[in-house]
């Protein structure tokens, strides 16, 4: 029955981990506490059972924006949901009350302060209540990161409705908070369900911030036209970065607590409604943002703890599709955070702050699998099959450039620290190793040390970075006001040669990064131009209905459409995320759009589904295919190259590889670029190719559309593209002597 409900209203064909168990608790009326990371799919745990049980489900939610969002989302799925909060007029409240009395509402969202009012409790007592769901339940705990007094009063629910099950949901995992939730809500022998804190679809990268804006540009380039958040640590950084990006012609909006309320709200809405793709923000942004298709979260500075990082980066990829989480860190920032800790009132708080910061620092500089560091921090382990490689972080994907003789290098650095009697900081140590003529060094007689100038051939900055990495990996530690570096027990092990650090190559050249194969996976078979077209249509429909775009359809659904390209309602029904209501509301217009597109571009429609893995971790790629994907060619395209080398046509390759012709057309472009092919004749009739080239020389090579238009539909993009690709390569040869 649950599955049927999932299918019918949400168009989902299976459960996420723990969802089924959580839903069964609700059906059985057994109290539960469900802990899942952001994006784990908590909402469905109570929404689906609410549709199976008689009566009305009451959902407590702390944020008005979140409430409205969820209710809108439910309505577009054909579920009768309403909310009551302080932002409504008396009339509206009356309307909702009448709907409820007429038993036409299945889910009611209420703010905690309203719920605990006597008159609300009385009203609810007159109804048949199916369940209570307490969202963001950590708000009851002073130990949680978002304590709210009103949540404390929710304990009246137990005494007022002894026979109704109470279910608490949160993403905060600590033992303390858990106990608080159970005690404050008076949960009865609750089922405790703790999900995995790993988010396998997030691809983590951490880089030292050096080129700043350039590094931001690299991330943005990877995500043209996609939604993303750039987090900065200060308002000033937000303003500066927003301005620089604007000057570069990129459309972004700023968000921080220093902006006027109205502007802040407007910017947030513009992001949610997809009128702007990128928001540059402080951590003030994100609470209550339920947007599921955030494709990247870029940290322009290091957060002060891994809890923060988990939460902020967790706003990416809530739809389960891969998302890019890149963190740019700098030693200066770590030092700045450290100095803010001095303001903390107690020693214990300062100590806790330092530990958080050090864990964060180790995550950045440790050169250890980022997924592993994160889940370990939250007291969990990665599944056994990912012990070797998670397949979704820069470390495991081999994107870090490591120094080959890190042991010797590490020993040189540590022995200098020892010879300096462990009384100096990182900068000083680097200067000694570099052989600097700095006054202080000469005065201290450190130019006489055997380690003086030992790394004279390395850039000073690189040496400084290595010291930082050794700190990050626990071989050195910083102490006291002046951040003096000292050798730790692990450090002594390193000096004896029984432990090896990972040290990064100096970042002189940024060679083309290897791209994760997984990135291409969930795009497999997706017709990108069609996807873009459907995105526009989605935005138009969302505007029409006054809801955010991702509520109409998620990115997963759009990709699936652009992959299957259904032109019948029956075919459309099979698209992921299409339930009955969305089929009825949007089916016709979307299939019309798809059919038109396929006809115009001679792209195969109604493609039989090949199952595409969504989660990167569920299909770890052999390392070989990753290292092959150099030069920006996607892993999925590489398999086609040998056929193209044999001169096979796109249709033939599509047949062999069992892919859509349009997809293979894309592979051909990649092949041409990869092999630097200059002659398109294996794929396009030479006479036609000549005509296309002539048109291109007049219209320019940047855009295909004007060329396409010149032929008034007589020539397809599939024919134009390879000709232009080859022409571009020939032209490059001319312009670069
Ligand atoms: P959380 O509240 O835990 O942060 P949500 O409930 O907002 O997560 O769910 C995150 C996203 O995952 C939403 O877009 C939701 O529709 C989607 N989702 C949840 N459960 C499933 C499922 N069983 N199959 C497919 N998508 C799901
Ligand atoms: Zn990893």
């Amino acid at each position: 029955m649950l599955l049927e409900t999932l299918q019918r209203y949400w168009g989902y064909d299976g459960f996420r981990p723990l969802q089924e168990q959580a839903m069964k608790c609700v059906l059985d009326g057994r109290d539960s506490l469900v802990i899942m990371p952001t994006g784990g799919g908590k909402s469905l745990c109570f929404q689906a059972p609410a549709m199976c049980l008689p009566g009305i489900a009451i959902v407590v939610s702390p944020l008005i924006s979140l409430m409205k969002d969820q209710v809108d989302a439910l309505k577009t799925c054909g579920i009768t949901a309403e909310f009551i909060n302080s932002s409504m007029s008396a009339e509206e409240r009356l309307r909702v009350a009448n709907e409820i009395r007429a038993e036409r509402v299945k889910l009611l969202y209420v703010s905690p302060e309203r719920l605990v009012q006597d008159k609300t409790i009385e009203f609810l007592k007159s109804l048949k209540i199916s369940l209570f769901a307490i969202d963001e339940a950590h708000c009851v705990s002073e130990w949680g990161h978002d304590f709210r007094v009103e949540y404390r009063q929710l304990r009246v629910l137990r005494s007022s409705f002894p026979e109704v099950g109470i279910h608490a949901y949160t993403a905060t995992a600590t033992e303390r908070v858990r106990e608080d939730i159970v005690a404050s809500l008076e949960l009865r022998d609750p089922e405790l369900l703790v999900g995995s804190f790993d988010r396998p679809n997030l691809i983590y990268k951490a880089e030292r911030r050096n080129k700043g804006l350039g590094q931001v540009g690299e991330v943005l380039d990877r995500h043209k036209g996609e939604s993303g958040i750039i987090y900065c640590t200060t308002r000033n950084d937000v303003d500066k970065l927003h301005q620089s990006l604007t000057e570069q012609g990129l459309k972004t909006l700023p968000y921080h607590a220093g902006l006027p309320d109205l502007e802040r709200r407007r910017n947030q809405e513009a992001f949610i409604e997809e009128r702007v793709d990128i928001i540059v923000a402080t951590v003030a942004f994100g609470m209550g943002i339920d947007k599921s298709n955030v494709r990247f979260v870029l940290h322009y500075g290091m957060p002060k703890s891994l809890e923060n990082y988990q939460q902020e980066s967790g706003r990416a990829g809530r739809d389960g599709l891969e998302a890019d989480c890149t963190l740019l860190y700098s030693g200066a920032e770590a030092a700045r955070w450290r100095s803010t800790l001095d303001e903390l009132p107690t020693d214990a708080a300062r100590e806790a702050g330092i530990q958080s910061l050090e864990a964060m620092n180790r995550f950045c500089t440790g050169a250890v699998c980022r997924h592993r560091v994160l889940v370990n921090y939250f007291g969990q382990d990665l599944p056994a099959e990912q012990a070797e490689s998670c397949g979704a972080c820069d470390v495991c994907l081999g994107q870090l450039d490591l120094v080959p003789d890190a042991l010797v290098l590490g020993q040189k650095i540590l022995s200098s620290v020892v010879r300096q009697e462990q009384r100096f900081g990182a900068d000083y140590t680097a200067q000694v190793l570099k052989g600097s003529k700095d006054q202080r060094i000469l005065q201290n007689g450190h130019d006489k040390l055997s380690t003086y100038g030992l790394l004279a051939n390395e850039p000073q900055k690189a040496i400084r970075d290595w010291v930082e990495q050794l700190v990050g990996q626990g071989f050195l530690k910083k102490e006291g006001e002046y951040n003096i570096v000292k050798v730790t027990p692990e450090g002594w092990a390193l000096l004896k040669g029984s432990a090896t650090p990972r040290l990064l190559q100096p970042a002189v050249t940024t060679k083309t990064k290897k791209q994760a194969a997984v990135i291409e996976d969930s795009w497999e078979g997706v017709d990108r131009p069609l996807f873009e077209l459907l995105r526009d249509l989605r935005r138009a429909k969302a505007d029409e209905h006054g809801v955010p775009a991702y509520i109409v359809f998620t990115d997963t659904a759009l990709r699936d459409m652009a992959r299957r390209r259904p032109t019948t309602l029956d075919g459309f029904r099979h698209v992921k995320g299409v339930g009955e209501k969305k089929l009825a509301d949007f089916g016709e217009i979307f299939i019309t759009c798809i059919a038109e597109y396929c006809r115009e571009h001679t792209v195969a429609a109604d493609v039989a589904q090949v199952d595409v893995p969504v989660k990167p971790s569920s299909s770890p790629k052999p390392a070989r295919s990753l290292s092959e994907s150099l030069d920006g060619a996607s892993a999925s395209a590489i398999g086609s190259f040998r056929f193209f080398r044999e001169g096979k046509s796109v249709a033939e390759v599509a047949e062999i590889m069992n892919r859509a012709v349009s997809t293979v057309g894309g592979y051909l472009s990649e092949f041409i670029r990869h092999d630097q092919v200059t002659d398109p004749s294996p794929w396009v009739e030479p006479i036609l190719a000549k005509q296309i080239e002539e048109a291109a020389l007049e219209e320019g090579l940047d855009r295909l559309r004007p060329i396409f238009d010149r032929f008034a539909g007589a020539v397809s993009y599939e024919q134009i593209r390879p000709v232009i690709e080859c022409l571009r390569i020939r032209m490059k040869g001319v312009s670069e002597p």
Side-chain angles (χ1 to χ4, degrees), residues 101-129:
R101 280 201 199 89
E103 299 186 355
R104 279 198 291 264
V105 181
K106 288 306 286 178
L107 286 122
L108 176 67
Y109 282 71
V110 198
S111 60
E113 55 275 18
R114 181 154 288 273
L115 178 60
V116 298
Q117 287 173 8
D118 289 345
K119 57 176 197 273
T120 313
I121 298 280
E122 281 317 305
F123 176 63
L124 293 183
K125 276 185 177 166
S126 70
L127 307 172
K128 166 121 193 76
I129 308 244

Side-chain angles (χ1 to χ4, degrees), residues 426-474:
D427 277 329
Y428 187 94
T429 306
Q431 283 179 323
V432 171
L433 285 156
K434 176 76 187 172
S436 152
K437 299 249 176 338
D438 189 271
Q439 269 305 312
R440 266 177 84 212
I441 292 176
L442 303 181
Q443 267 164 20
N444 292 328
H446 284 166
D447 54 336
K448 308 279 176 340
L449 294 180
S450 59
T451 54
Y452 180 77
L454 197 56
L455 300 178
N457 293 331
E458 305 289 353
Q460 159 98 15
K461 190 162 172 334
I463 308 174
R464 178 73 177 71
D465 281 356
W466 288 325
V467 174
E468 221 47 71
Q469 288 158 28
L470 290 165
V471 174
Q473 291 168 46

Side-chain angles (χ1 to χ4, degrees), residues 368-372 382 389-397:
V368 177
C369 171
R370 320 275 181 202
H371 280 268
R372 178 131 47 94
L382 286 184
S389 161
C390 74
C393 80
D394 50 356
V395 181
C396 294
L397 291 169

Side-chain angles (χ1 to χ4, degrees), residues 6 10-16 19 23 36-45 47 70 135-136 171 290 292 317-320 550 554 556:
L6 228 54
W10 284 274
Y12 296 151
D13 43 19
F15 298 102
R16 293 260 180 89
Q19 276 184 332
M23 291 179 193
M36 277 185 196
T38 310
K42 287 184 282 296
S43 325
L44 225 57
C45 295
Q47 289 169 345
Q70 292 227 354
D135 212 358
E136 314 287 348
D290 225 355
S292 68
R318 293 175 72 142
D319 50 15
Y550 60 90
T554 60
T556 323

